[in-house]
Amino acid sequence: MVDSENQKFCLQEVLESFKSCLSPEKEIYIEHYVSGWRGLVKLLNSLGSLFGFISKDAVSKTQILMNFLKSENGPHYATVQSMVKFELDNKLVDVDKKGIYPESGCRTLLRLHRALRWLQLFLERLRTSKEDDKTSVMCRDAYNESLAQHHTWLIRKSAGMAFYGLPVRPAFFEVMNVGTPEQVVDVLGKAVPLLYEVYQITEELYQKHNLLDLP
Ligand code: 1PX
């Protein structure tokens, strides 16, 4: 449940965070990336305890990144680009199999990066959906096309069950807290290309450094 007005989700706010995470040189600021995810987690929390296990994992991953940002190495974690360089230069990443760095910044961000692809696919489906279309089906299709291939059988089953608990489209639009359905569609039309841009920049960077399969 929403605890206070402060905790209330607003899609516009999330959009602003993802907008601010791109520097003019197209670097990605981790602080704003994380704050975008935290906004999304607020929405997830307002959907009820069925989504608690997903929210918990997202919070734990954003917390790992925030801890790096607040550590003495913080300046190296200002952007995704500087983090990748720092962790690779200093051999702080388990590249082939889990070892002494199971929670490196690179592998942690990769998990959120994969989830960003799901989000982009889901929001695009929502944007182009009709009033009677099922959010659970849109969510499941987006998940199967993206994140599912990286998850164990148990997580896939649990996620699949949680999707049935999603509110119907009009209620879901309400939760997004941006106004009329037309306004929601309008904001989604801005959000999807922006998320795609952030996703693509990260994808290319990870590909270049061979980091897309970090354990
Ligand atoms: C305007 C609409 C906004 C909707 C907001 C929804 C925000 C959802 C946030 C999802 C963040 C998921 C992060 C998952 C990261 C991950 O893949 N973690 C797994 C791997 O991590 P590991 O450290 O073990 O290598 C981890 O195993 C995951 C566990 C939790 C289950 C993740 C299921 C993800 C399903 C995504 C769909 C969310 C459905 C929300 C519907 C609104």
Side-chain angles (χ1 to χ4, degrees):
M1 289 299 292
V2 179
D3 328 295
S4 72
E5 199 57 27
N6 218 11
Q7 290 291 300
K8 212 168 175 185
F9 172 86
C10 172
L11 184 62
Q12 190 68 46
E13 203 182 295
V14 171
L15 188 59
E16 291 307 322
S17 296
F18 280 107
K19 235 187 232 166
S20 334
C21 84
L22 279 180
S23 82
E25 295 76 33
K26 304 289 180 195
E27 292 199 300
I28 298 168
Y29 296 117
I30 291 185
E31 188 184 351
H32 297 296
Y33 190 89
V34 163
S35 111
W37 276 108
R38 295 223 158 149
L40 290 164
V41 165
K42 283 190 209 167
L43 173 106
L44 203 55
N45 290 342
S46 74
L47 297 179
S49 55
L50 203 54
F51 299 91
F53 74 107
I54 305 176
S55 157
K56 214 169 138 195
D57 188 67
V59 167
S60 130
K61 292 196 166 41
T62 56
Q63 196 55 54
I64 293 171
L65 293 172
M66 281 317 282
N67 290 345
F68 279 126
L69 207 50
K70 283 190 261 158
S71 72
E72 57 181 14
N73 290 323
H76 297 292
Y77 287 84
T79 68
V80 177
Q81 288 78 358
S82 62
M83 172 188 77
V84 165
K85 180 168 173 18
F86 174 70
E87 290 198 342
L88 288 181
D89 285 355
N90 292 284
K91 303 200 172 5
L92 298 173
V93 186
D94 292 335
V95 178
D96 303 317
K97 55 176 170 37
K98 275 200 178 166
I100 51 174
Y101 300 111
E103 293 192 338
S104 66
C106 286
R107 70 88 64 189
T108 301
L109 193 124
L110 175 64
R111 271 50 184 180
L112 294 176
H113 167 67
R114 290 168 176 164
L116 197 65
R117 174 76 180 147
W118 159 78
L119 182 66
Q120 181 218 323
L121 293 171
F122 176 52
L123 296 187
E124 177 57 13
R125 281 174 165 82
L126 263 185
R127 187 184 75 81
T128 54
S129 61
K130 296 186 198 63
E131 204 174 332
D132 293 339
D133 286 347
K134 286 194 157 57
T135 45
S136 57
V137 172
M138 294 181 242
C139 189
R140 185 199 63 202
D141 290 349
Y143 176 74
N144 286 341
E145 225 182 277
S146 55
L147 263 184
Q149 50 200 286
H150 303 288
H151 286 165
T152 59
W153 180 87
L154 190 63
I155 295 285
R156 289 202 303 271
K157 287 289 151 207
S158 314
M161 284 198 289
F163 297 158
Y164 287 116
L166 281 174
V168 292
R169 184 180 177 274
F172 200 83
F173 272 26
E174 285 278 314
V175 172
M176 285 197 224
N177 201 17
V178 276
T180 63
E182 292 73 25
Q183 286 169 316
V184 173
V185 169
D186 188 56
V187 173
L188 288 176
K190 297 191 178 86
V192 172
L194 179 67
L195 296 178
Y196 182 70
E197 186 176 12
V198 173
Y199 175 84
Q200 261 324 104
I201 294 171
T202 314
E203 181 77 5
E204 280 163 26
L205 178 75
Y206 269 58
Q207 198 159 38
K208 183 169 143 204
H209 293 282
N210 235 335
L211 299 175
L212 284 170
D213 294 312
L214 291 179

